Coordinates of all heavy atoms in Angstrom, one line a residue:
S12 N 62.6 21.1 -50.9 CA 63.8 21.2 -50.2 C 63.8 20.6 -48.8 O 62.7 20.4 -48.3 CB 64.1 22.7 -50.0 OG 63.2 23.3 -49.2
P13 N 64.9 20.2 -48.2 CA 64.9 19.6 -46.9 C 64.1 20.4 -45.8 O 63.5 19.9 -45.0 CB 66.4 19.5 -46.5 CG 67.1 19.4 -47.8 CD 66.3 20.3 -48.7
Q14 N 64.3 21.8 -46.0 CA 63.6 22.6 -45.0 C 62.1 22.6 -45.1 O 61.3 22.5 -44.1 CB 64.1 24.1 -45.2 CG 63.6 25.0 -44.1 CD 64.1 26.5 -44.2 OE1 64.9 26.7 -45.2 NE2 63.8 27.3 -43.3
G15 N 61.6 22.5 -46.4 CA 60.2 22.4 -46.7 C 59.6 21.1 -46.2 O 58.5 21.1 -45.6
R16 N 60.4 20.0 -46.4 CA 59.9 18.7 -45.9 C 59.9 18.7 -44.4 O 59.0 18.1 -43.8 CB 60.9 17.6 -46.4 CG 60.7 17.3 -47.9 CD 61.3 15.9 -48.2 NE 62.7 16.0 -48.0 CZ 63.6 16.3 -49.0 NH1 63.2 16.7 -50.2 NH2 64.9 16.3 -48.7
S17 N 60.8 19.4 -43.7 CA 60.8 19.4 -42.3 C 59.6 20.2 -41.7 O 59.0 19.7 -40.8 CB 62.1 20.1 -41.8 OG 62.1 20.3 -40.4
K18 N 59.2 21.3 -42.4 CA 58.0 22.0 -42.0 C 56.8 21.2 -42.2 O 55.9 21.2 -41.4 CB 57.9 23.3 -42.8 CG 59.0 24.4 -42.4 CD 58.7 25.6 -43.2 CE 59.8 26.7 -42.8 NZ 59.6 28.0 -43.5
K19 N 56.8 20.5 -43.4 CA 55.6 19.6 -43.7 C 55.5 18.5 -42.6 O 54.4 18.2 -42.1 CB 55.7 19.1 -45.1 CG 54.5 18.3 -45.5 CD 54.7 17.8 -46.9 CE 53.5 17.0 -47.4 NZ 53.7 16.5 -48.8
K20 N 56.6 17.9 -42.2 CA 56.6 16.9 -41.2 C 56.2 17.4 -39.9 O 55.5 16.8 -39.1 CB 58.0 16.3 -41.2 CG 58.1 15.1 -40.2 CD 59.5 14.5 -40.2 CE 59.6 13.3 -39.3 NZ 61.0 12.7 -39.3
S21 N 56.7 18.7 -39.6 CA 56.3 19.3 -38.3 C 54.8 19.5 -38.2 O 54.2 19.2 -37.2 CB 57.1 20.6 -38.2 OG 56.7 21.2 -37.0
R22 N 54.2 20.0 -39.3 CA 52.8 20.2 -39.3 C 52.0 18.9 -39.2 O 51.0 18.8 -38.5 CB 52.3 21.0 -40.6 CG 52.7 22.4 -40.6 CD 52.0 23.2 -41.7 NE 52.3 22.7 -43.1 CZ 53.3 23.2 -43.8 NH1 54.1 24.1 -43.3 NH2 53.6 22.6 -44.9
K23 N 52.5 17.9 -39.9 CA 51.9 16.5 -39.8 C 52.0 16.0 -38.4 O 51.0 15.5 -37.8 CB 52.6 15.6 -40.7 CG 51.9 14.2 -40.8 CD 52.6 13.4 -41.9 CE 52.0 12.0 -42.0 NZ 52.7 11.1 -43.0

Side-chain angles (χ1 to χ4, degrees):
S12 65
Q14 187 177 2
R16 284 196 299 271
S17 177
K18 288 182 179 179
K19 185 176 181 181
K20 186 176 180 180
S21 177
R22 286 195 297 271
K23 185 177 180 181

